[in-house]
Amino acid sequence: MTILTAGNNSEEQKKLIRIVKKLRPEAKLISVETSPEALAEAREQEVDIAFLDVVMSEMNGLILGRYLKDLNPFINLIYLTDSREDAYEAMALRASGCMLLPATEKAVKFELEDLRNNDTKKSRNRVFIQTFGNFEIFVDGEPVSFKYTRTKEVVAILVNNRGAQTSNGEIIANLWEDDGDPMKKTSYLSNLRQDLQNTLTRLKLNGIILKQRGSMAIAADKVECDLFDWLAKKKDSKYQYTGDYMNQYTWPEYYHAELDEISYAMDDE
């Protein structure tokens, strides 16, 4: 679970952070002071709960909440305000909750236990990734179209690495096995990364790809994938490996032996 707090009042922020850490010690907590910072964080990773001050510089919390909901329709927005009029407006936006300042542990606990979008509602992954047979990505049951064909192959490489950060060099080595101009390949990979980002933003799927400087990874817990399910559940999985894996690409042939070995071991259990 990722929880974001955003507000200008540093003392109130510090108090809220202490309360949230106490009530949800297992959560990843991000704290920012401005709306642009909040948006930047939400574009990089999926935020489950956002505590937003209604009064903020540059963009007030109510407007910020609309943008955050565009990025993740399942986000729980909890507003903090000292005005009951703001509270009414916040609830009209179908926020998860609204607290009058100053925040108290009792109020925060109530909001965290009464989320509009709980884990059960959110458990329906919009993304299904098929690796057995031909590789394909489905969102809401429809195959995803990218501007560049190789963009989908980039995602295939990330899925094959099962959530591990994959360097640009490793991606390039898989995409282009032949020798060529490395500068042109690096430039083209930048285009592919931008195409991937634009497509995910259009589909409101920010947080599916975890980016670091010079590398990327698939957020395995944010998607349903036949490979991941099979590896986790073995014979109990509804998906079973039968020897076909990302058939349209040549580089996965190296991994067939590994999957075959895993499959044989399952048969011997």
Side-chain angles (χ1 to χ4, degrees):
M1 174 182 290
T2 300
I3 300 176
L4 170 73
T5 71
N8 297 327
N9 188 322
S10 59
E11 290 306 314
E12 278 293 334
Q13 280 281 293
K14 290 177 183 178
K15 180 180 178 182
L16 177 62
I17 290 168
R18 287 196 300 269
I19 294 173
V20 172
K21 283 183 176 179
K22 179 180 178 180
L23 296 175
R24 290 290 186 274
E26 78 286 355
K28 179 179 180 180
L29 185 59
I30 304 167
S31 181
V32 299
E33 295 183 357
T34 69
S35 295
E37 288 177 309
L39 283 175
E41 292 289 349
R43 289 190 178 107
E44 290 296 322
Q45 57 198 305
E46 187 174 79
V47 176
D48 301 292
I49 304 170
F51 288 90
L52 308 176
D53 278 359
V54 170
V55 179
M56 298 180 67
S57 59
E58 299 186 56
M59 180 193 306
N60 73 45
L62 296 174
I63 297 174
L64 170 61
R66 294 191 187 102
Y67 283 111
L68 293 177
K69 209 164 186 65
D70 283 341
L71 292 173
N72 175 17
F74 294 106
I75 193 171
N76 291 283
L77 300 173
I78 302 172
Y79 290 101
L80 292 85
T81 180
D82 54 10
S83 166
R84 293 190 179 276
E85 291 183 5
D86 288 337
Y88 293 137
E89 185 174 353
M91 298 315 294
L93 294 173
R94 297 182 63 78
S96 178
C98 188
M99 299 188 304
L100 292 175
L101 294 170
T104 65
E105 182 176 331
K106 180 180 179 180
V108 175
K109 185 175 187 293
F110 174 82
E111 296 297 348
L112 290 175
E113 293 178 350
D114 191 44
L115 298 173
R116 176 181 290 274
N117 297 308
N118 57 33
D119 290 338
T120 301
K121 293 179 182 177
K122 198 176 165 240
S123 63
R124 180 184 65 86
N125 284 319
R126 297 180 58 212
V127 182
F128 172 69
I129 296 178
Q130 172 185 298
T131 66
F132 299 156
N134 280 353
F135 178 81
E136 192 59 78
I137 310 163
F138 299 91
V139 174
D140 298 330
E142 298 294 329
V144 176
S145 296
F146 297 97
K147 180 179 179 181
Y148 302 107
T149 302
R150 284 194 181 271
T151 304
K152 185 168 78 170
E153 190 171 357
V154 169
V155 181
I157 293 168
L158 301 183
V159 170
N160 183 72
N161 282 356
R162 305 168 198 175
Q165 283 288 329
T166 306
S167 69
N168 290 345
E170 185 177 350
I171 294 172
I172 288 173
N174 281 319
L175 290 177
W176 296 282
E177 299 175 8
D178 60 321
D179 293 330
D181 188 338
M183 292 302 295
K184 286 184 178 179
K185 293 176 181 178
T186 301
S187 177
Y188 189 36
L189 179 58
S190 295
N191 292 337
L192 299 181
R193 287 177 61 122
Q194 188 59 55
D195 180 29
L196 178 58
Q197 179 62 53
N198 292 343
T199 303
L200 294 180
T201 299
R202 172 174 54 83
L203 295 171
K204 299 181 180 179
L205 288 172
N206 297 78
I208 297 297
I209 301 297
L210 306 176
K211 295 183 291 184
Q212 295 182 2
R213 186 176 180 85
S215 68
M216 294 187 292
I218 187 78
D221 61 331
K222 298 292 192 297
V223 302
E224 181 177 355
C225 174
D226 53 6
L227 174 65
F228 299 163
D229 194 84
W230 177 67
L231 291 173
K233 300 178 182 177
K234 300 182 179 179
K235 292 182 179 179
D236 292 331
S237 173
K238 60 183 175 181
Y239 310 106
Q240 292 297 315
Y241 170 73
T242 59
D244 293 318
Y245 180 67
M246 299 190 185
N247 288 340
Q248 70 265 53
Y249 305 129
T250 57
W251 52 265
E253 292 177 0
Y254 173 80
Y255 301 96
H256 280 194
E258 178 188 358
L259 296 181
D260 287 341
E261 188 174 326
I262 294 172
S263 180
Y264 297 151
M266 288 183 187
D267 290 340
D268 292 337
E269 290 179 354

